[in-house]
Amino acid sequence: MKVKKYKHADLERKRSMFFQIGLIVALAASLAAFEWSTEEVLVPEDLAGQIDPYEEDLILPENIKLEEKQPQPVQPQKILEPIIKETNNNDPNAGEMNFSSEDWPEVPVDIPELPDEPVEDNSVYIFVERMPEPPGGMKGLMKYFAENIRFPVICAELGIEGRVYVGFVVDKDGSVTDVKVLRSPDANLSKEAIRVVQNMPAWKPGRQGGKPVKVSYTVPVNFKLQ
């Protein structure tokens, strides 16, 4: 069976090209070998025949002197002189003398202790030495409710009545703040109770340690049909 080869893999077709490349390389190497030479040592005419250029230890004649390195003179170093600033008579700071803290003796100084600043008490108390009071006492409070409560019409038509418990805070100046309903039978009654409590006149503030403080308070607002 004859083995078939592809044309691009057949090296027999390229034998002549390989032979030419090898011949060119051989000729180039031969020319380089003929052109190769060593460097010549040039010897002055007056020393020709006296010095062997390939001798390791050369003996120089007496008329040839080696150059000796002259010692360089030592340059003197510059001495830095202090710069003296001339005094200007027009300078406003002229003539001033600066003293450091070391020039003065230490003198003990008594610093008086300042009293502590009073800390404002913004706590809300439930019970204090002296509880807040409404104008006219509890009787005046009941009279105020009786004169200012407006029974909601819808509650009157539906027959809704009852007692609404309202919580609030009597501030240091006696004003009523943070009004909120704690318990109520109807939302319409709650709105009316809040309106009446918010419009109350200022109370006498509660006191703790002789100072006015904030006190939480609760009052019942009674809604009853006649």
Side-chain angles (χ1 to χ4, degrees):
M1 181 177 179
K2 186 177 180 181
V3 180
K4 295 182 179 181
K5 295 183 179 180
Y6 293 101
K7 292 182 179 181
H8 65 272
D10 190 4
L11 298 179
E12 292 296 332
R13 300 174 57 189
K14 300 180 181 180
R15 180 182 297 177
S16 61
M17 183 179 67
F18 291 154
F19 176 76
Q20 293 176 2
I21 292 173
L23 182 60
I24 293 171
V25 173
L27 291 175
S30 300
L31 291 175
F34 284 115
E35 293 294 333
W36 185 270
S37 63
T38 58
E39 296 181 357
E40 296 180 357
V41 179
L42 299 178
V43 181
E45 296 179 357
D46 54 349
L47 299 180
Q50 297 181 9
I51 301 175
D52 187 359
Y54 300 100
E55 187 177 359
E56 294 182 359
D57 298 331
L58 298 179
I59 302 175
L60 299 178
E62 296 181 358
N63 57 355
I64 297 178
K65 295 182 179 180
L66 296 176
E67 295 183 358
E68 297 180 358
K69 293 184 179 181
Q70 298 291 335
Q72 296 181 358
V74 179
Q75 297 181 358
Q77 297 181 354
K78 294 183 179 180
I79 300 175
L80 298 178
E81 298 180 357
I83 300 174
I84 301 175
K85 184 177 180 181
E86 296 181 358
T87 304
N88 187 3
N89 296 329
N90 296 326
D91 189 0
N93 296 325
E96 291 185 358
M97 300 178 67
N98 298 324
F99 297 94
S100 62
S101 58
E102 298 178 354
D103 299 333
W104 299 93
E106 295 182 0
V107 179
V109 179
D110 295 333
I111 301 176
E113 294 183 0
L114 299 176
D116 296 336
E117 295 182 359
V119 179
E120 187 177 359
D121 187 5
N122 290 322
S123 303
V124 179
Y125 293 85
I126 299 177
F127 298 101
V128 291
E129 297 173 355
R130 184 177 176 180
M131 295 295 291
E133 296 179 7
M138 295 305 297
K139 290 183 179 180
L141 181 62
M142 294 297 106
K143 182 181 179 180
Y144 168 78
F145 286 158
E147 294 177 352
N148 292 276
I149 288 178
R150 300 173 185 174
F151 207 102
V153 177
I154 188 171
C155 293
E157 293 176 353
L158 298 176
I160 300 174
E161 60 180 7
R163 185 172 294 177
V164 180
Y165 290 89
V166 182
F168 54 91
V169 175
V170 180
D171 212 331
K172 296 178 183 180
D173 57 355
S175 59
V176 177
T177 60
D178 298 336
V179 181
K180 56 187 175 181
V181 174
L182 303 179
R183 189 172 63 184
S184 173
D186 185 76
N188 295 307
L189 298 179
S190 299
K191 292 179 181 179
E192 179 62 17
I194 290 176
R195 184 191 68 80
V196 173
V197 172
Q198 286 179 341
N199 293 328
M200 283 192 302
W203 289 36
K204 290 182 180 180
R207 289 183 174 273
Q208 181 72 18
K211 297 180 180 180
V213 292
K214 296 180 179 181
V215 181
S216 177
Y217 208 90
T218 303
V219 294
V221 181
N222 192 21
F223 291 88
K224 188 176 182 179
L225 295 172
Q226 300 295 334

